[in-house]
Amino acid sequence: MRHAVRPLFAVALFLFAVGCDKAAPVAPEGATLTISASPSEITSVNGTSTITAVARRADGRPVLPGTEVRFDTTLGTIDSVVATDESGVARATLRGDGRLGTARVTASTGSVRTEPLEIAVGAAARTIVLQPTPTTIPANGGNVTLLAIVR
């Protein structure tokens, strides 16, 4: 019985060690992370914006390719984990979910976290024009239909 336990222990230890080698890298201590949005305002409540995160080591060089950058938003949805390319850049897509408001997007890798980037989602109406039909009402009263044109 004792001999059967050792091979299982060795297999479990091997699998644990192999699994540890597969972990994605994160930015090292002292790294910087900046984010930007294009466009910086989503005019449609179902529109999109590309969020770009740039990760640099303390000496200014890009982080290793494949470094995981995690994205989070308070409104809409966003790709939650994106790997950096050879330039230290990770791009995620922020998608409107039908709600109007301000999305506050953050990115993080390792112990580095950005301040929230605010992106307006959906545009409020700027003008409302009313068209009555008919344009006049007789002295004894009547009905008027109003057409609202919202821009």
Side-chain angles (χ1 to χ4, degrees):
M1 178 85 161
R2 190 169 196 201
H3 296 283
V5 172
R6 282 187 181 161
L8 288 177
F9 176 73
V11 169
L13 184 59
F14 173 77
L15 291 176
F16 177 74
V18 169
C20 290
D21 289 343
K22 301 291 183 187
V26 294
E29 289 296 321
T32 61
L33 186 62
T34 58
I35 58 173
S36 60
S38 181
S40 57
E41 179 178 318
I42 302 173
T43 56
S44 166
V45 293
N46 294 313
T48 62
S49 178
T50 300
I51 308 301
T52 302
V54 179
R56 299 273 182 240
R57 298 176 196 189
D59 63 6
R61 292 180 299 139
V63 296
L64 293 174
T67 296
E68 283 189 351
V69 177
R70 297 184 177 279
F71 292 91
D72 190 36
T73 184
T74 59
L75 183 69
T77 62
I78 194 165
D79 305 321
S80 59
V81 178
V82 179
T84 60
D85 62 15
E86 62 281 345
S87 299
V89 175
R91 289 183 179 84
T93 302
L94 172 66
R95 295 170 187 81
D97 60 4
R99 296 180 291 159
L100 178 72
T102 300
R104 288 172 185 79
V105 178
T106 57
S108 64
T109 178
S111 63
V112 182
R113 184 172 186 85
T114 65
E115 291 295 320
L117 175 66
E118 293 188 349
I119 301 161
V121 179
R126 298 189 196 274
T127 61
I128 299 175
V129 177
L130 294 176
Q131 282 184 332
T133 304
T135 58
T136 60
I137 301 173
N140 60 350
N143 293 325
V144 174
T145 303
L146 289 175
L147 171 66
I149 301 171
V150 181
R151 293 189 178 117

